[in-house]
Amino acid sequence: MSLPLDSDLLRTFLAVADTGNLTKAADSVGRTQSAVSMQIKKLEDALGDTLFDRHSRGVALTMQGRRLIDNARRIVALLDDTAAAMRQPALDGAVRIGIPEEYINSTLPRALGAFAAIHPGVEVTVQQGTSMSNRTALEAGEIDIAVVFEPGGRTKNEVLMVDPTVWVTSDQHCTHERQPLPIATYTYATGGWCDDLAMQSLKRRGKRSRVAYVSRTSGGLIAAVVSGLAIAPLSRSAIPPGCRELTEDDGFGIIDMSNVVLRTRLENRSPTIDAMADAIRSAFLGP
């Protein structure tokens, strides 16, 4: 039998959980303290369990409360997003996106799914490419939006997230213990500053290395790491199962605090392009 969970009860639950105090929660949701208490009691009755422990300074989540809170946030966020979406006019036209391989199977599906639900009439084209190729395509007017990596630090572009570049090894093969150190690298034209910084990080630590694998894509580097053929510089978010980041404890460390930036074409902007850019921003914030 499904539980009839009321969204207003979940909003009140989140307000109490976030403030840790019934009085402050009442102020944030615009209700009286007694009304908030009644709503929490109603939610607890529906779930058949206590959600808060009461003490002299306020309230704290019980184990069941901690189980509920993440789902409650997702439900409320989905309802808010749906309401906002229904108030927006449906767009049409076309939008072309260039994005690195690292986010094709993770962040991009969230962005496309959210966008298509609101604007099903828009024709979307995706180009998977390196940062260099995506920048070139954007400047040539071949795509409208580009997600690219840049070296860490200050930038004039919009930063979606900071995704450190790190050395990655296979848990099973312990490739990082071999001498000289076998590494996988991009071709120079593809890797650019990433390869330069990766090699510099090894030289600073006095590590002898040899190039064991060369690839044009991060997928190739991942294959080299998973197989135990080499270690490789990868975005932290792209570390595959069965592999791990090599830290300072291993004698390595972060190569670069890489910026993932969003760039859009300056000419012929449209509401459709702006809406897709918003969907990509939201997707990078997480589920």
Side-chain angles (χ1 to χ4, degrees):
M1 180 177 178
S2 61
L3 294 173
L5 294 181
D6 187 295
S7 62
D8 284 341
L9 300 185
L10 293 178
R11 292 180 191 277
T12 300
F13 164 75
L14 291 174
V16 176
D18 290 340
T19 61
N21 184 284
L22 293 176
T23 301
K24 293 179 180 178
D27 291 339
S28 69
V29 298
R31 298 179 183 272
T32 64
Q33 181 177 335
S34 61
V36 167
S37 296
M38 290 177 62
Q39 284 196 306
I40 295 299
K41 180 65 166 58
K42 186 175 180 180
L43 183 58
E44 289 177 331
D45 288 344
L47 295 172
D49 218 324
T50 302
L51 299 174
F52 293 99
D53 287 325
R54 278 73 173 173
H55 52 76
S56 59
R57 290 175 294 179
V59 297
L61 288 167
T62 63
M63 181 180 295
Q64 286 297 90
R66 291 193 294 272
R67 287 183 62 194
L68 176 62
I69 193 163
D70 287 342
N71 284 329
R73 291 195 196 282
R74 281 193 288 268
I75 292 168
V76 169
L78 179 60
L79 290 171
D80 289 343
D81 289 346
T82 301
M86 297 306 294
R87 289 193 290 267
Q88 295 182 26
L91 298 172
D92 55 16
V95 61
R96 302 162 298 173
I97 307 164
I99 192 166
E101 183 180 8
E102 284 83 349
Y103 306 111
I104 283 289
N105 295 315
S106 54
T107 309
L108 183 63
R110 289 199 298 270
L112 296 183
F115 184 84
I118 305 170
H119 309 295
V122 173
E123 182 181 292
V124 179
T125 304
V126 176
Q127 167 183 301
Q128 175 186 310
T130 65
S131 294
M132 184 178 295
S133 65
N134 287 337
R135 281 195 299 267
T136 300
L138 184 70
E139 291 165 0
E142 297 169 358
I143 59 175
D144 306 301
I145 299 172
V147 175
V148 300
F149 287 105
E150 287 185 354
R154 299 184 65 178
T155 175
K156 63 181 181 181
N157 296 311
E158 177 183 352
V159 178
L160 295 169
M161 68 179 293
V162 176
D163 197 358
T165 304
V166 298
W167 286 106
V168 179
T169 190
S170 164
D171 283 331
Q172 179 180 354
H173 300 93
C174 297
T175 315
H176 61 287
E177 297 177 357
R178 299 176 192 166
Q179 293 295 332
L181 191 64
I183 64 171
T185 182
Y186 293 105
T187 59
Y188 183 80
T190 303
W193 61 267
C194 176
D195 273 355
D196 291 343
L197 291 174
M199 297 308 297
Q200 289 170 18
S201 73
L202 296 180
K203 290 179 181 178
R204 282 197 306 270
R205 295 172 185 270
K207 293 184 179 294
R208 294 187 305 113
S209 63
R210 66 179 183 86
V211 176
Y213 190 99
V214 176
S215 175
R216 290 184 175 274
T217 67
S218 61
L221 301 193
I222 288 173
V225 173
V226 171
S227 67
L229 178 63
I231 68 169
L234 295 171
S235 300
R236 182 178 283 165
S237 65
I239 297 176
C243 299
R244 68 177 179 87
E245 173 183 344
L246 290 167
T247 66
E248 294 287 347
D249 291 339
D250 301 298
F252 289 81
I254 293 174
I255 296 170
D256 181 67
M257 298 299 290
S258 307
N259 292 328
V260 183
V261 305
L262 178 70
R263 297 181 61 180
T264 56
R265 61 184 305 179
L266 299 178
E267 299 177 355
N268 300 320
R269 289 282 291 274
S270 69
T272 299
I273 294 173
D274 291 338
M276 177 57 81
D278 285 340
I280 292 173
R281 290 186 189 98
S282 297
F284 269 93
L285 290 175

